[in-house]
Structures are given as C-alpha cells and as structure tokens.
Amino acid sequence: MQFIKILRSATAIGMFGLTAFAAQAQETIKVGLIAPFSGPFADYGKQMEGGIKAYMQQHGDKVAGKKIEIIYKDTTGPAPEIAKRLAQELVVRDKVDFLAGFGLTPEALAVAPIAEQAKKPMIIMNAATSIITTKSQYIARVSMTLPQISAPMATWAVKNGIKRVVTLVADYGPGIDAETAFKTNFIGGGGQIMESIRVPLRNPEFAPFIQRIKDAKPEAVFIFVPAGEQGIAFMKGYRERGLAEAGIKVIATGDLTDDHVLPAMGDAVLGVITTFHYSAAHDSPENKAFLKSFAAANPNGGRPNFMAVAAYDGMAAIYDVSRKLNGKIDADKAMAVLKGWKTVSPRGPIMIDPQTRDVVQTVYVRKVEKVGGELYNVEFDKFANVKDPGK
Ligand code: PHB
C-alpha cells in the first residue's frame, strides 16, 4: 500500500515536472550561439556576446510574451568538428529555435548541414565566405561577404591612380574570396597584380612575406587577414621593414583595422585606407545609441567592432521573426520573414536579399585618422546597396 502511494506520488511529480517543463519550454525562445570564446579568436565570441547584450539592454528579453534565452557555446576555434558537435547538442538536447553566431567560415560550413536537416534558422553574425549561404536554405547572413567588401576597394584603388599591387590574404575561404574579387575588379579596371601571397590562417609569420612585398616594389599592398591580433602583427612588420618609407601604401578590408584592436595599433596605421561596412566612427543616431548601450552593457568591453554590430542586428532579426510568428518558431515561416528583412543598423541601412539570403548594405571607404586623440576609421566615400557580387 505504502509502496503504491510512493509510486503514485512519484508519477504525479514526474507528470507535474513534465508539464512544468513543457510550459517552460513554450515560454522560452532559445538561441544557440556558437563562436570561439577562447583561443586565438576569443574576441569574436566576446564581441558577439557584447552586441547581443547591448541589443537586449535596449529592447528587453521578452518578445511575444516569451523570454529570449541565449545559450553560448565556445568552439575554441577554428574548430569545425567542435562547432558541429555543439550544434548537434543545441538542436537535440537544448531544442533551440535558432542557431546563431559563427565567427569563422570553417565552423559555419560545418554547421550548415545540421541547420538544413534539423530545419533551424541559422543567423550568420560574421563568417564571410561567399558560398556559406548556399549551403542551406535556412541560412541568413547579417554580416558581410569578402567579395562585397573587396571589390569596392579595387574600384577605389583604380580610380585613385594605384596601378601596381601585391595582394596578401589568409589562406582559407574568406582570404581566397577577397583575393579573387580584388584581382578581378583591379585587373578589369586596368591595374596590374604583381604577386599574390597567401599566409596560413593559424599564427602566420609575416616577416618573410613583408620582405617579399618590399622587394616587389608595388604602389600598394592589398590585405585581408582575419580581424584581431594578426592586423597588429602585420602593421608591426610593415613599420619595422620600412615599407611606408619605400612608398608602399596599405589598402585593405576593414578587418585589418578592426575597431576593437585599432586603438592598440599605434601611429604606423595612420592613413591606411580600407573598405568596410562598419566603423565605430559612423555618424548616425543609430550608431550613437548602439555605442551607448554597448558601453553600458559591457563595462570592460572596449570598443565594439563589426562583429558586435552584426550580432546586434542579428538579434533585431531574431526579435522581428519571433514577433511576426507570435513566438512560435517554424523554420520555413522564419525564413519567409527573413527574406527581404530590413533594418537601420548602426552601420547604416541593411537588407537581406530575398533571393540569396545574404546581406545588402553600404560599403564605406575609410581612412585611419586621429579623432580626439584616438585612432578611428573615418568614412569619406561610399558605395550604396552593395550585394555579394558572386551571386
Ligand atoms: C571568416 O572566417 O569568415 C572571417 C573571419 C574573420 C574576419 C572575416 C571573416 O575578419
């Protein structure tokens, strides 16, 4: 008798527990955020987390009556296998509604088949190789693509009388995309590529390559290296080997002068010209509000960069989808909302191209200058409504 009672109450607790769990599950919209939070690319995850916190600080953590919950997962990357395992866990165990983040291309590519099979909207907040969005119909990208940013740099260089260039890129997806788009536009505009150098993604040793650039005597060197420490290392070598004195200019994608590391780059970076979609110096009310909420939500976060902005915009997309679907996330309906989705980002107006699910945005030409004693990428020209040119 006693035994049966215990059994009954255990069942009751079990059932109650389950009901409570189901209710809780229904009251939450879960976002699985996959990015490196440790290792050489740890800043990527931290910038994204900072951007997400800034967004949630401004807009609260409830949409359509449901709480938005972010589950952060560290890939330690670049580590595609870990990213894949984390995505599987998020889908199967945590039952997330969205996959998001993705600092590095190999990690985004590794997760794309999971988004496709599990039918999970996957919001790319950085990874910038053109091909990524073609790997699942559930992917939408709010960040950038390297061809989108690099082609305008070539156009600007040709227009400004630069005729002979050496390219140097990180030897993986985004670097090869940057090299190809720059070359195509530069040669198409009458320029000459003297040499194309590719350096390893992990711990590149720039010194010998910088000597090769110097020996080739170009008018400029075009650079793509992944944002962060590598930009600092390249500029240090550029300064030490006297390339500026040899009359060799630096033109680059804005990854080189990433806002987060720019204040630490020193005066050697003054005058560097880059093309990019975001500068912390962008003059708009949306950017002012973003910088303010980023600082408030991340007291030791330093200066936000383009990854923080993409994460902030990615959250705006997730909130809008959740609102439009009244809190019930269905992947196909979510993609219908994302196709053609628009917002006024801290970087300027952006749109998700309904055909390609890739971002359409303004690409700015900027020059590193001192503003109030600090180094900034100051925008002075722009290309409006730029699509990924490969699509
Ligand atoms: C990428 O892996 O796609 C990537 C990483 C860092 C960047 C840009 C692209 O700055």
Side-chain angles (χ1 to χ4, degrees), residues 41 44 102-106 126-129 132 141 144 146 172-174 201 224-228 253 255-256 276 306-307:
F41 298 98
Y44 292 19
F102 308 102
L104 293 154
T105 287
N126 184 54
T129 302
I132 291 171
R141 176 157 42 197
M144 60 154 175
L146 261 307
Y172 77 124
L201 169 61
F224 164 77
V225 288
T253 65
D255 309 82
L256 182 77
F276 220 36
F306 60 106
M307 297 190 200

Side-chain angles (χ1 to χ4, degrees), residues 248-289:
I248 303 168
K249 294 189 185 76
V250 178
I251 54 176
T253 65
D255 309 82
L256 182 77
T257 57
D258 154 19
D259 269 302
H260 190 62
V261 299
L262 184 58
M265 286 181 102
D267 288 358
V269 82
L270 278 170
V272 168
I273 305 277
T274 55
T275 42
F276 220 36
H277 54 307
Y278 177 68
S279 164
H282 182 69
D283 187 12
S284 74
E286 291 79 17
N287 191 39
K288 285 203 179 81

